[in-house]
Amino acid sequence: MELDKLDRLMAEAFEGYLVRKDLVRKYSRQYPVPTYVVEFMLGRYCASIDDAEINEGLAIVERQLSERTVRTGTEELFKAKARDEGSVKLIDIVKARLDAKNDCFVAELPSLALKDVRVDDHLIKNHERMLTDGFYAEITLSYDSAIAQEKGGRPFAIDNLRAIQLSKADALQVFIKARSQFTLEEWKNLLLRSIGLEPAALSDRGQAVALLRMVPFVERNYNMVELGPRGTGKSHLFQQISPYAHLISGGKATVAKMFVHMGTGQRGLVCQYDVVCFDEISGVSFDQKDGVNILKGYMESGEFSRGKESIRASGGIVMVGNFDVDIEQQQRIGHLLSPLPKEMRNDTAFMDRLHAFLPGWDFPKLNPNEHFSDHFGLVSDFLSECWNQLRNGSRVAALQGRVNFGGALSGRDITAVSKTVSGLIKILYPDPEMPVPDEELESIVRLALECRRRVKEQQKKCLKTEFRYTHFSYSIGEDGVEQFVATPELHSEDQIDTDPLPPGQVWAIGPGSAEAGASLYRIEVTVGPGSGVKILNYPVPPSFRESVRYAELNLYARSKALVGDRDPRGHEFSIQLRAMDNDKSGVGISLPVLVALCSALLERSLRGGLVLVGAINLGGSIDSLHHAVATIELAVEKGAETVLMPVSARKQLFELSDDMATKVNIQYYSDNQDVLIKAIVE
């Protein structure tokens, strides 16, 4: 393997904590144990970039894995070896239960099919997770022939065990200290390689999904759902990377196993693990009718009551599953949470407990030759230990005084977004003293808002009256411009959306040519220091140049009425026309261009779902509009909710069909100041 710049940087910063990910894949496929078990062994003997040391360590790892892992059909060989030699070492899951009849604990070793292995109380006390779903460990198993001859004797005993977990007290300090040596981009790549992915093979959206999957590991009581196509590695992180996560695959989830066993008082999975992940969520059901309600209450408060006791826990709930159809079809036939079990899929109160809905469709189907990394990454056990320690405390303070959320967010929405932001900051900036730049904070906030809004949109589909406010927005700083955040899967480039566009962007319908007819345009204006108007289209359509000139001159002549104290002559406007239909000329759209210039200068967005129609002349008068009915029909076809058009066109619309008239809100304006007031978000 050829070391690249990041490999060398990691070797300096994380000496002794690295492992080659291609070796991990090689050995995890050969032996019947999870990836983190293999990485634990490789991390112990091969945490080096020196080939000689790696090869020496590999020989030890290979010998130990081959001698200590139990393959199907070799169970009796291990038992016989324990009998002949007195003891045997193996790597297995160890589980335990209380044998009340004999007042002792007995352990279970699944790979040897042993269910009644003696185990000392002190081992149980030191490793309580044995009593839930168990954990992987290096075990010394002994055999006592004298006990074997007793009636009902239990000859096998666990003499010693070592949990397969690094658990070094200073792991987080090493992690935090090393972060300062990496740029943000390098740190993201390090994290992706550490979970076995090659960053260069992933799009920006794919990388964002991979980072969001890490949030439940660093944020307490974080509830997340990810649905998407098969083969995108949704459950990989929760099954293979961290011993602090537990995966439930399909089938029944029992209340006793999840929360607390009423008979024994034994705490369940949410108390024992940082993350409990339901795989193939569509097939999961609870053994009791009130199971979903208990889960719902726990997801809300991090608390559950069984009997007289109220128990707090910090384990997050993650649900992953597949769509049977593509994302567009899924939205047509139902909503994006339809694959959930029937007790959950239309329950808006349950949905409200979800802090984030990850766009699993933005992550590629994993190809081993393309998406898996062959470079160095952090040993999974070290990484998961750092994540576990990062769960203490919150980074919500990074938002205070810097980010303001829009009025559409409820209290639960703000809580959900804040938890996602806190988690992403912990992952990317683990040192609380390290400043988070505004542009990075904004990017994190946008991602968090998008993931929460996706939940809200599904609630809206189930109960439109209660969840109609889904236009999530934010602003950075006291005088920041309000920015709206959309969920990309709901949008089409050539469709007018209900979300307000950023300041300076306007939907417009122009009359077009005789051949092409009415056409939809999107006008985009940005403002900077300088003077004049610069058109970015090349070549510039002559008709559009004329529309821009008329708009510019009207802005200068009527600036006081339109933009108040702001001086348009002291700014340079860059303008781009995006034609969505056959006509590319930009004819007859001078009034929408004027509104776009004013919107950019005022830093105010226009109302969502709005399209502007009309043209002004050099004197500032509104030109007559022809073919008003065709204009309205195109607006409806393109998804507009409101059309702003000159009042002189009102009589033409007597010919508009009743069906069309009910599908869109038509508003009229009398002059350019009137249209601006009616267009801008209040």
Side-chain angles (χ1 to χ4, degrees), residues 261-273:
H261 193 291
M262 292 298 285
T264 64
Q266 180 57 46
R267 304 289 169 94
L269 297 174
V270 295
C271 301
Q272 298 289 333
Y273 289 92

Side-chain angles (χ1 to χ4, degrees), residues 31 80 106 170 192 221 262 301-302 385 499 503 518 562 577 583 600 642:
Y31 300 100
V106 288
D170 68 340
L192 294 170
N221 299 103
M262 292 298 285
S301 63
E385 182 62 30
D499 281 347
L562 294 170
L577 181 71
D583 187 75
T642 305

